[in-house]
Amino acid sequence: MLTTQQPVLRRFWYPVIPLDNLLSGPQSFTLLEEPLVLWIDENGQPAALRDRCCHRSAQLSKGMVKDGCVRCPYHGWQYNSSGTCVDVPQLDAGAAIPKTYRVEAFPCVERYGYVWVCLDNNPLQPIPEIPEFADSNFRFIHEFYEPWKVGGLRAIENSFDSAHGHFVHASSWGDMSNPQPPPIDDVTETDFGFVMKHWLEVLNPDLQKKNLGIAAEKTIRTNTRTWYMPFARTLKIQYPNGLEHLIFTAYTPIDDQHSQVVQFCLRNDTETEAKAADIIAFDRQVTAEDRVILEGTDYDAPLSLAEEQHMASDRPGILMRHRLAKLLKEHGETEQRRSGASASSAMDKILEEAVIA
């Protein structure tokens, strides 16, 4: 599925940049091939416009913030958060600014320390709710903000693949001597995606023993994975000692081949019990192991089940493909292959295929 060819994907919220990154001035970000300029307006709120001045197409992100507006570096035109041009230095004092002097603005809010943008004024789903963020028993740890050369669907599907860990993560927590994953306990569909519950026995390297406060060589993780369409998830890991480690990851689509990885975690322990730097180091090792594999896959993950082979543990990924195919069909869109050929006939077939039990 080529994300940029599906207009409906513009109707979802995506985290695009840490709010703190805007403290130094306007910044650029490309979302679904849409160039954006982001800054903090006069009310202290993030704002997002198309990163092109309506005068001569200069990048507004190369300008500066003045009086809460973004000022173009080329001729000094200033735009407010609604995209209206409020100052043209070349006009005579008191002269009216033509109403056509404006740049497209996009819905933009702050949540969880990040700036979220939707490229449509009518989002299909709200920003994911993470109750632990407001729970004083949990601490927030920012982990990663970096681009990967991988398509959004391929990356998010991997987050729900319970069979890859013992091989891909053999250097961190995987156990290749026990490669068969336990059956998935439950997958419950929701309006925004689905919730998946399962357990997994993993190895504990020395750093993880330190992070978990245990000495056991192996431990059981009880996992609750929540998919937020199209490319975000939470993974809540519960350990036998009562520790909870919740990871939020979004694969924000830059274009068809690249995703911005946004990841933070929430834990019900303290810095004294486990240092944030050690937690990040272990999660960095795990994500780096995923990255090596994912950046070597075809970025255009097919929605049609006939184009790849499957096994029982692929059930969540198949459900994702099924739901996304249905979404495209409901909005009159079709999956497009790299060749540019239409797959509309395949789309109808997908909806009739049964999800592997």
Side-chain angles (χ1 to χ4, degrees):
M1 180 183 72
L2 299 180
T3 57
T4 63
Q5 295 187 18
Q6 315 303 335
V8 69
L9 296 183
R10 295 171 65 91
R11 296 183 62 186
F12 290 88
W13 288 100
Y14 301 96
V16 297
I17 194 170
L19 182 66
D20 287 350
N21 285 24
L22 304 185
L23 297 178
S24 60
Q27 302 293 323
S28 64
F29 188 87
T30 301
L31 175 61
L32 287 166
E33 290 189 340
E34 183 74 63
L36 303 175
V37 57
L38 303 125
W39 80 98
I40 296 176
D41 68 14
E42 69 277 12
N43 298 313
Q45 300 300 313
L49 303 180
R50 176 170 287 129
D51 194 13
R52 291 289 183 270
C53 180
C54 69
H55 175 223
R56 289 295 182 269
S57 77
Q59 288 180 260
L60 297 173
S61 58
K62 294 185 181 298
M64 63 178 291
V65 177
K66 183 179 180 182
D67 301 325
C69 298
V70 63
R71 189 176 77 179
C72 179
Y74 200 178
H75 297 93
W77 292 23
Q78 287 181 214
Y79 299 88
N80 63 19
S81 59
S82 65
T84 300
C85 184
V86 297
D87 184 54
V88 178
Q90 293 77 21
L91 291 180
D92 293 335
I97 299 174
K99 293 182 178 180
T100 55
Y101 286 17
R102 61 176 299 105
V103 176
E104 185 175 4
F106 301 101
C108 180
V109 298
E110 182 275 332
R111 190 72 60 84
Y112 312 126
Y114 282 85
V115 177
W116 294 66
V117 173
C118 181
L119 297 178
D120 191 282
N121 289 320
N122 296 294
L124 289 177
Q125 300 290 347
I127 293 172
E129 288 293 334
I130 305 176
E132 289 81 1
F133 186 80
D135 188 335
S136 61
N137 294 314
F138 286 79
R139 56 174 167 148
F140 176 89
I141 301 174
H142 169 79
E143 292 199 316
F144 317 124
Y145 177 74
E146 60 194 18
W148 288 12
K149 189 176 182 181
V150 62
L153 176 55
R154 191 69 77 182
I156 194 64
E157 191 176 62
N158 175 75
S159 295
F160 290 79
D161 177 4
S162 61
H164 79 281
H166 290 305
F167 292 90
V168 176
H169 303 302
S171 296
S172 53
W173 55 261
D175 181 4
M176 285 193 289
S177 67
N178 183 29
Q180 188 168 349
I184 297 170
D185 297 330
D186 181 48
V187 177
T188 303
E189 290 197 61
T190 65
D191 290 340
F192 54 78
F194 60 73
V195 179
M196 164 186 164
K197 296 182 179 181
H198 69 113
W199 62 272
L200 191 65
E201 185 178 53
V202 301
L203 298 179
N204 293 319
D206 290 340
L207 179 57
Q208 186 68 333
K209 290 177 184 176
K210 182 178 178 182
N211 290 338
L212 301 180
I214 61 176
E217 296 297 324
K218 293 184 179 182
T219 191
I220 297 291
R221 291 180 179 176
T222 300
N223 298 325
T224 301
R225 302 175 188 261
T226 303
W227 175 45
Y228 300 95
M229 296 175 66
F231 309 126
R233 64 99 194 232
T234 56
L235 165 59
K236 187 171 186 177
I237 305 172
Q238 296 173 295
Y239 293 94
N241 64 357
L243 176 66
E244 295 184 4
H245 181 81
L246 184 143
I247 301 172
F248 171 87
T249 311
Y251 299 98
T252 296
I254 298 171
D255 54 33
D256 291 326
Q257 299 188 48
H258 301 87
S259 301
Q260 187 76 24
V261 177
V262 172
Q263 182 164 307
F264 57 80
C265 74
L266 294 151
R267 286 171 61 110
N268 64 340
D269 63 358
T270 66
E271 180 72 12
T272 302
E273 293 171 299
K275 295 185 181 301
D278 290 339
I279 294 166
I280 294 171
F282 183 76
D283 285 353
R284 162 61 70 193
Q285 179 181 355
V286 174
T287 55
E289 291 164 350
D290 280 319
R291 183 176 185 175
V292 169
I293 299 300
L294 289 173
E295 289 192 335
T297 62
D298 291 335
Y299 61 86
D300 185 9
L303 297 185
S304 172
L305 303 187
E307 296 189 41
E308 294 182 333
Q309 303 305 307
H310 312 281
M311 57 184 175
S313 59
D314 294 323
R315 179 185 173 196
I318 291 172
L319 181 54
M320 282 182 182
R321 298 184 188 199
H322 181 90
R323 288 288 297 272
L324 289 171
K326 183 179 179 181
L327 176 72
L328 300 191
K329 185 176 178 65
E330 288 174 345
H331 291 271
E333 299 171 23
T334 59
E335 181 185 13
Q336 299 291 316
R337 312 308 296 158
R338 281 192 296 274
S339 65
S342 172
S344 58
S345 60
M347 297 295 288
D348 290 330
K349 181 179 180 181
I350 294 170
L351 297 176
E352 298 173 358
E353 292 177 326
V355 175
I356 293 178

